[in-house]
Amino acid sequence: MSQKGFKNLEGANDDASTLVDENESTDLPATVMYMPDEGTFGNDSTTLFEGQGGLSSGMLFSNKKKQLNASIQQLNYNENKIALDRTINQTIELLYELSNENKERPIFYPTDTEDDSSLLLNSPRAHLALVRNNLTASAKTLSKAKIPKNVEEDERIPEFKVLKLSIKMGHNNHNNDNLVKNLDKASLATLLEQKLNQQVKYLLNLKDRVDDTSSKVFVTGDLNAGKSTFCNALLRRKVLPEDQQPCTSVFCEVIDATKENKGVEEVHAVCIGCDYNIRDESSYEIHNLNELEDLVYECDKYKLLKVYVLDHRSLTESLLHNGVIDIKLIDAPGLNMDLYQTTQVFSRQEEIDLVVFVVNSENHFTLSAKEFIAAAAAEKRYVFIVVNKFDNINDKNKCMSKILEQIKSLSPDTYKNAKEFVHFVSSSDALNNSPDGGDGDGGDGDDDNNNHNNDSNPDFDNLEASLRKFILDKRAISKLLPAKSYLINLLNDLHSLSQINEKIYVQEKKDKLIELNSLITPKYEEILQLSVKINDSINSLVEKTCTEIYDFTKNEILTTVNEFGDHQVVPYEGLQYIYEYAMETQRVMIETVLSAVSSSESQAKNLTSAKVEEIIKFGKTTLGDEFLHDKVFKPDLMFTRRRDTIKKNLNDLIEFSDFFDPSWESCLMWLGIPKEFVSNTRLQLSFYNSSNLISNLPSSAMSLKNQLPTQLTLHTLYSSTKLLTTGALIRKLYSVSHLIRPSLLKKFAGPILLGITGFTVYYLVNDIPNAFPRKQARKIKKQIFDMDYPHINADRISKECRQVLNYPSRQVMNNFQTTIDKRLGEKEKLEKCIKDAELSSGYFEKLLGKIDYQMQLVDDIDLESLNTVD
Ligand SMILES: Nc1nc2c(ncn2[C@@H]2O[C@H](COP(=O)(O)OP(=O)(O)OP(=O)(O)O)[C@@H](O)[C@H]2O)c(=O)[nH]1
């Protein structure tokens, strides 16, 4: 034995009564040891070494060797127990870890069911498949797997042994697979969470079971199969009530009274809801053994009956009182009693070491029996099968082969070791053939006294011997193997689950990355770029439109104002209506300005409407269905506010001087000179205004003489189609001045002056209809320019248009933003998915490593080979 193996024992909660440490390995253990080969017990070795008892040295050596072997086996047992304990703890850690992962990122649970018909009858999954086979109405209506036929075996969805999810508790749920299949990932994750928690509890129970020095033998079977009779036959006493009618409906745990109840035979009835504690009498009711007949029916009151009995047979005969380990026999209610009881029987499995299944040889296996054996065998590997009431069978060989055939598919290991594990017996005969016919207490209390003749029931003796051998001798197998098998199954399930998840997440990461890079990111970037482009286009469209509106409004007002004064705006009715004429002229001029503004507004309105449509079209063509246009544009509501304050701000006071506007130009026009001519000479005549004359005359005085023409007549002035130059005109005036003498002047001055005055007055009065509009136009124009009216209105109209255009623009851009947000959301979601998939695949990869390590550890626990010294 390795040093390491001994170290492992340190600090462990070992079976202290049988543990031998390194220093003591040469000494024999002080306790009684069962000698498997002989079926006897060795005494204190020191006595043997001292030669007391009169044994020969050869015998002493042989005894010592056996005791050493027994000690080594015990050490092996303890070492294995510690290794199992440790693996259970570490597996619990793995379960916690998995459960936390499941909370963070739901674990994928495969739900497709496999085509069971492909399973070999003896394959590891065959028994469960068989159970399912039987559960469905017909073997042919098995749910077909969704997996394609050509998928490799290793890619098939595994059949979980331990982590199989079920929606309803209980075993008889026909539609469970289908129900589970239809669940979504989150619901499956919740179910898995519950399952993982259950497994933690189960493992903790398993640990208790491994640490528990006693062995619990669970006797179950179909209703009325003879379970109680079988237990009684093992005790060689009628302790448990037997009846032709189903009777046992409460679990009865038969315990050796010598060890646990100070040798007092009695029943401790544990009520439903109470936790049994032998030292706390309030946790149970005490009854006599003979009351058991009534107590077993009280399933509504009691959950467990602890039956303390004394077995006075020898240590080598008694199973209960064997001197090696405490054995507890649990007589369970019949499986098909009712659903609740059956479920209870199933759930008690987790706290038992060995299952003895009693089947009525007349009926063979029922459906629930098959299901129970399959489930028990999956966990415990070996199931004892007692085919009872064999005395009633005529064709015993036929019955045997039929039953063995069925066991073959239910528990392959049991079938392989049928000699050890399958027994055809008659419990009633065994009980009735005992010396006192099963009525007494079975012996005189002498442990080493073998007074009874059991040869009359070799089959039952054989069964009893096998049971003893398995529980006592092969304790490592009977006690620890179920725990090991369970761990292997659980770790296998965890391995399958992790492997599937790792594969799925690696694939998911790959798929999602492809989706991200080829679809989502380009789509997101496309919409982003499009949004920038559309934003620019819309902005420039709005800008262009507003500038256009500003320009034409300003232009419209300016043109209108500039045209004032060129002609009368209202008909002139005569001097007597001069004031009305003035008022009307002023009003019409202002109205004209206002109508120019108004026409600009309606033009702006039309243009804005067209541009609003254009902007919406932008949105529709670029965003398609994603563009939500829920606002209706109403152009009529534009420019409904008070337009301007021109009337208020204009000085409309009419002055006397407003009616007179003398000028050469107007005078000439009044005289009937064509307008074109007047406007062409306007510039030249402006030279003769006083300021020009003052500044220009002195400098050009010297050259004047040379410039004067030789002839200048008014006729020339009127008839010439050619414009007279200023110089020519002055020269002509100068030459005429030579002809005018003072006497002549004196004679003509008066009438000329009178004529001029009369002409002037006449001109002024007649020019009123033109002079007033001209002057008024100048006045209004000046005021309009002073108040910056064209700009203010152009600005106002274009601003309102901008505001209106901003609505659809904003709507389009908001829609873009919504789409961008949506795409970004999709992108981020996918990125999170990828990250999660990466984390999950990494997590499962690591977990697989840990599970593999644990599996290796469990695999290394060697329960079957025996270490001995030669
Ligand atoms: N012929 C014959 N009858 C038996 C044998 N074992 C049990 N019986 C009878 O079968 C009947 C039922 O036996 P029980 O031991 O009460 O059966 P059970 O399985 O404990 O019954 P429940 O616990 O109520 O399900 C009794 O009348 C027994 O006498 C046997 O080996 N041979």
Side-chain angles (χ1 to χ4, degrees):
M1 180 156 301
S2 69
Q3 184 67 21
K4 185 177 164 242
F6 279 92
K7 271 187 184 156
N8 283 343
L9 298 174
E10 286 169 21
N13 177 20
D14 295 327
D15 186 350
S17 62
T18 50
L19 174 66
V20 178
D21 71 26
E22 196 175 11
N23 298 329
E24 289 172 325
S25 62
T26 49
D27 301 330
L28 291 167
T31 50
V32 177
M33 282 290 172
Y34 178 68
M35 298 292 128
D37 294 347
E38 286 189 355
T40 57
F41 293 86
N43 282 320
D44 193 317
S45 62
T46 47
T47 329
L48 292 169
F49 274 113
E50 280 159 10
Q52 288 173 23
L55 295 169
S56 68
S57 61
M59 278 179 79
L60 275 175
F61 179 71
S62 155
N63 272 347
K64 185 174 162 106
K65 201 174 88 178
K66 282 169 190 165
Q67 285 167 3
L68 262 175
N69 280 338
S71 303
I72 289 169
Q73 279 179 37
Q74 185 61 50
L75 285 168
N76 271 343
Y77 178 85
N78 285 340
E79 197 181 35
N80 287 331
K81 193 176 84 169
I82 290 161
L84 268 175
D85 261 348
R86 193 178 299 129
T87 325
I88 289 174
N89 283 340
Q90 284 162 357
T91 309
I92 289 174
E93 286 298 309
L94 289 181
L95 287 171
Y96 279 138
E97 216 183 279
L98 202 63
S99 168
N100 287 340
E101 173 70 15
N102 191 37
K103 273 178 212 147
E104 212 147 288
R105 287 174 288 272
I107 291 172
F108 172 81
Y109 184 87
T111 50
D112 282 346
T113 47
E114 195 174 341
D115 186 352
D116 297 324
S117 58
S118 66
L119 291 172
L120 290 172
L121 199 58
N122 270 334
S123 74
R125 295 192 296 253
H127 49 275
L128 281 169
L130 183 119
V131 169
R132 235 194 358 245
N133 228 330
N134 288 318
L135 286 175
T136 45
S138 149
K140 289 185 179 68
T141 57
L142 272 175
S143 56
K144 290 276 170 201
K146 279 185 194 165
I147 313 158
K149 285 260 184 274
N150 56 356
V151 174
E152 294 294 318
E153 176 66 25
D154 66 334
E155 283 181 13
R156 287 187 162 219
I157 287 169
E159 182 70 61
F160 291 114
K161 283 182 182 166
V162 179
L163 293 179
K164 190 174 170 66
L165 297 184
S166 57
I167 290 181
K168 273 192 203 162
M169 291 305 288
H171 66 292
N172 228 357
N173 193 355
H174 292 223
N175 292 322
N176 184 48
D177 278 356
N178 281 337
L179 286 172
V180 171
K181 247 198 302 185
N182 293 330
L183 291 177
D184 57 42
K185 195 182 170 189
S187 314
L188 281 172
T190 315
L191 272 185
L192 185 65
E193 176 74 23
Q194 289 169 1
K195 193 77 185 175
L196 294 175
N197 290 339
Q198 269 174 24
Q199 292 317 307
V200 171
K201 278 189 201 144
Y202 196 102
L203 284 180
L204 289 170
N205 282 338
L206 198 68
K207 198 167 165 315
D208 287 347
R209 201 163 84 197
V210 167
D211 293 341
D212 185 5
T213 52
S214 69
S215 261
K216 283 185 181 171
V217 179
F218 193 70
V219 181
T220 188
D222 283 331
L223 213 61
N224 239 21
K227 301 178 291 294
S228 307
T229 314
F230 169 74
C231 291
N232 289 340
L234 284 178
L235 300 166
R236 295 295 194 277
R237 282 179 70 186
K238 274 191 182 167
V239 175
L240 301 164
E242 304 164 10
D243 203 332
Q244 284 180 332
Q245 296 298 311
C247 63
T248 315
S249 50
V250 184
F251 289 88
C252 298
E253 199 170 314
V254 185
I255 307 158
D256 184 11
T258 347
K259 278 220 163 181
E260 296 203 12
N261 204 34
K262 297 171 190 156
V264 182
E265 288 198 322
E266 60 189 12
V267 179
H268 292 178
V270 186
C271 290
I272 292 170
C274 292
D275 284 330
Y276 179 67
N277 178 1
I278 195 165
R279 272 173 241 112
D280 176 9
E281 286 196 10
S282 67
S283 68
Y284 55 89
E285 291 172 10
I286 300 175
H287 296 272
N288 284 328
L289 272 188
N290 52 21
E291 290 175 63
L292 207 53
E293 292 231 2
D294 301 322
L295 293 172
V296 289
Y297 289 99
E298 304 259 8
C299 61
D300 293 336
K301 190 173 179 194
Y302 305 116
K303 67 171 184 185
L304 181 65
L305 301 171
K306 293 254 180 187
V307 185
Y308 291 96
V309 292
L310 290 169
D311 190 344
H312 296 297
R313 291 184 301 156
S314 69
L315 295 176
T316 51
E317 284 178 312
S318 169
L319 188 72
L320 218 56
H321 183 54
N322 55 62
V324 182
I325 52 168
D326 302 334
I327 291 179
K328 291 166 183 174
L329 275 178
I330 301 167
D331 184 17
L335 270 184
N336 33 3
M337 177 164 261
D338 62 36
L339 187 66
Y340 175 75
Q341 294 290 0
T342 307
T343 309
Q344 288 291 94
V345 173
F346 268 80
S347 63
R348 286 293 295 270
Q349 262 226 66
E350 63 188 73
E351 52 185 270
I352 53 182
D353 301 302
L354 175 66
V355 170
V356 177
F357 197 89
V358 182
V359 55
N360 186 342
S361 55
E362 296 156 316
N363 301 338
H364 295 191
F365 294 102
T366 60
L367 185 61
S368 38
K370 285 177 184 173
E371 197 184 337
F372 183 89
I373 295 171
E379 186 193 326
K380 303 190 196 315
R381 237 170 90 189
Y382 297 107
V383 177
F384 259 85
I385 293 174
V386 175
V387 187
N388 200 27
K389 302 191 187 179
F390 204 50
D391 51 306
N392 285 344
I393 302 295
N394 293 328
D395 192 345
K396 293 194 165 32
N397 283 339
K398 192 177 166 195
C399 173
M400 276 171 123
S401 59
K402 269 194 162 183
I403 286 191
L404 284 170
E405 195 53 43
Q406 284 180 296
I407 294 171
K408 197 175 176 183
S409 55
L410 290 172
S411 175
D413 285 313
T414 302
Y415 176 78
K416 260 188 249 160
N417 300 285
K419 258 194 168 168
E420 291 286 313
F421 295 104
V422 186
H423 297 272
F424 297 84
V425 296
S426 168
S427 303
S428 58
D429 284 358
L431 182 64
N432 295 332
N433 290 345
S434 65
D436 50 12
D439 289 329
D441 62 5
D444 58 9
D446 183 353
D447 285 344
D448 295 319
N449 232 350
N450 191 354
N451 294 329
H452 313 306
N453 175 16
N454 294 334
D455 293 343
S456 51
N457 277 294
D459 291 336
F460 199 87
D461 292 345
N462 195 19
L463 155 69
E464 213 175 358
S466 296
L467 206 55
R468 279 179 68 95
K469 196 174 163 201
F470 190 65
I471 300 170
L472 304 178
D473 187 12
K474 294 189 172 176
R475 201 170 144 220
I477 293 181
S478 64
K479 177 89 186 163
L480 302 183
L481 191 63
K484 182 181 166 178
S485 304
Y486 186 80
L487 274 174
I488 289 173
N489 288 337
L490 178 60
L491 287 167
N492 269 331
D493 282 3
L494 288 176
H495 191 273
S496 305
L497 190 69
S498 306
Q499 208 168 35
I500 285 174
N501 273 276
E502 194 210 359
K503 269 188 191 171
I504 281 173
Y505 285 116
V506 165
Q507 192 56 44
E508 186 171 303
K509 190 188 155 192
K510 243 192 241 169
D511 293 347
K512 300 272 169 178
L513 261 176
I514 292 171
E515 194 187 342
L516 181 76
N517 294 331
S518 64
L519 206 75
I520 301 294
T521 309
K523 243 172 130 186
Y524 170 71
E525 275 163 9
E526 186 196 2
I527 193 82
L528 215 62
Q529 281 167 9
L530 198 63
S531 139
V532 174
K533 212 172 122 194
I534 293 296
N535 191 29
D536 288 349
S537 306
I538 290 177
N539 279 346
S540 82
L541 181 136
V542 171
E543 217 46 59
K544 229 173 106 189
T545 309
C546 291
T547 313
E548 198 180 323
I549 289 168
Y550 178 90
D551 287 346
F552 73 63
T553 306
K554 194 170 176 182
N555 199 35
E556 182 80 8
I557 297 171
L558 283 175
T559 316
T560 308
V561 172
N562 281 335
E563 277 173 6
F564 284 162
D566 286 356
H567 49 266
Q568 297 175 18
V569 290
V570 288
Y572 178 64
E573 302 285 339
L575 210 55
Q576 65 270 37
Y577 300 109
I578 192 161
Y579 184 70
E580 285 78 6
Y581 173 74
M583 290 293 286
E584 195 57 12
T585 301
Q586 200 181 52
R587 188 189 67 74
V588 168
M589 278 184 173
I590 290 170
E591 283 305 318
T592 311
V593 175
L594 284 178
S595 76
V597 172
S598 187
S599 89
S600 299
E601 282 179 349
S602 57
Q603 209 175 332
K605 216 184 273 184
N606 291 339
L607 192 65
T608 307
S609 293
K611 297 301 172 188
V612 164
E613 284 304 312
E614 210 172 307
I615 292 170
I616 289 168
K617 213 167 144 197
F618 260 135
K620 276 183 185 160
T621 48
T622 48
L623 287 169
D625 294 341
E626 284 170 296
F627 180 68
L628 285 173
H629 178 55
D630 51 356
K631 298 233 165 36
V632 182
F633 171 56
K634 289 182 183 159
D636 297 347
L637 299 178
M638 284 180 80
F639 310 116
T640 44
R641 279 176 295 132
R642 184 79 196 98
R643 269 186 202 118
D644 66 297
T645 52
I646 187 167
K647 278 187 190 164
K648 222 194 289 171
N649 292 333
L650 272 184
N651 177 12
D652 55 357
L653 196 73
I654 297 169
E655 293 163 356
F656 181 72
S657 59
D658 290 344
F659 293 96
F660 307 106
D661 182 32
S663 69
W664 280 111
E665 213 178 317
S666 61
C667 180
L668 290 174
M669 278 171 66
W670 177 71
L671 286 171
I673 293 168
K675 192 182 175 190
E676 308 82 55
F677 180 81
V678 174
S679 46
N680 281 338
T681 53
R682 187 183 293 163
L683 263 173
Q684 292 174 356
L685 289 174
S686 68
F687 178 81
Y688 298 101
N689 67 36
S690 52
S691 57
N692 258 1
L693 281 175
I694 290 162
S695 57
N696 290 333
L697 268 177
S699 59
S700 53
M702 292 307 290
S703 57
L704 265 180
K705 194 176 178 254
N706 301 329
Q707 288 176 11
L708 283 173
T710 47
Q711 295 176 343
L712 178 67
T713 59
L714 268 174
H715 174 76
T716 320
L717 193 70
Y718 281 115
S719 62
S720 173
T721 50
K722 227 170 87 184
L723 183 66
L724 291 175
T725 63
T726 317
L729 186 70
I730 292 171
R731 267 199 306 275
K732 278 179 184 173
L733 283 172
Y734 182 73
S735 56
V736 168
S737 68
H738 286 292
L739 302 172
I740 301 166
R741 291 183 210 143
S743 56
L744 206 68
L745 262 175
K746 205 175 173 182
K747 193 176 168 188
F748 291 104
I752 287 171
L753 214 65
L754 198 70
I756 288 172
T757 310
F759 172 80
T760 307
V761 170
Y762 185 71
Y763 154 70
L764 285 176
V765 169
N766 277 290
D767 194 40
I768 284 174
N770 296 324
F772 185 79
R774 254 195 336 265
K775 207 141 184 203
Q776 198 60 36
R778 276 205 304 277
K779 232 171 131 181
I780 289 177
K781 229 188 266 181
K782 188 177 177 305
Q783 288 189 62
I784 278 176
F785 288 134
D786 284 352
M787 67 172 87
D788 211 4
Y789 187 79
H791 164 74
I792 286 171
N793 274 284
D795 193 49
R796 172 182 65 84
I797 292 171
S798 70
K799 266 187 183 155
E800 189 160 340
C801 289
R802 184 187 292 279
Q803 271 179 3
V804 170
L805 289 171
N806 277 345
Y807 273 108
S809 312
R810 262 201 299 267
Q811 200 175 20
V812 171
M813 291 328 293
N814 283 347
N815 267 276
F816 261 100
Q817 197 50 52
T818 313
T819 312
I820 288 169
D821 289 349
K822 209 169 112 190
R823 300 268 155 86
L824 184 67
E826 279 170 12
K827 192 171 162 265
E828 283 172 353
K829 199 172 150 199
L830 203 63
E831 280 168 349
K832 189 177 178 298
C833 233
I834 293 168
K835 196 150 190 342
D836 282 355
E838 198 178 333
L839 284 173
S840 293
S841 63
Y843 168 80
F844 282 109
E845 198 188 327
K846 267 192 204 156
L847 189 71
L848 273 172
K850 288 183 194 171
I851 293 170
D852 284 345
Y853 177 69
Q854 284 308 317
M855 282 171 103
Q856 190 56 50
L857 286 183
V858 179
D859 218 41
D860 287 347
I861 300 173
D862 182 7
L863 300 175
E864 308 198 26
S865 67
L866 290 173
N867 292 331
T868 51
V869 282
D870 297 325

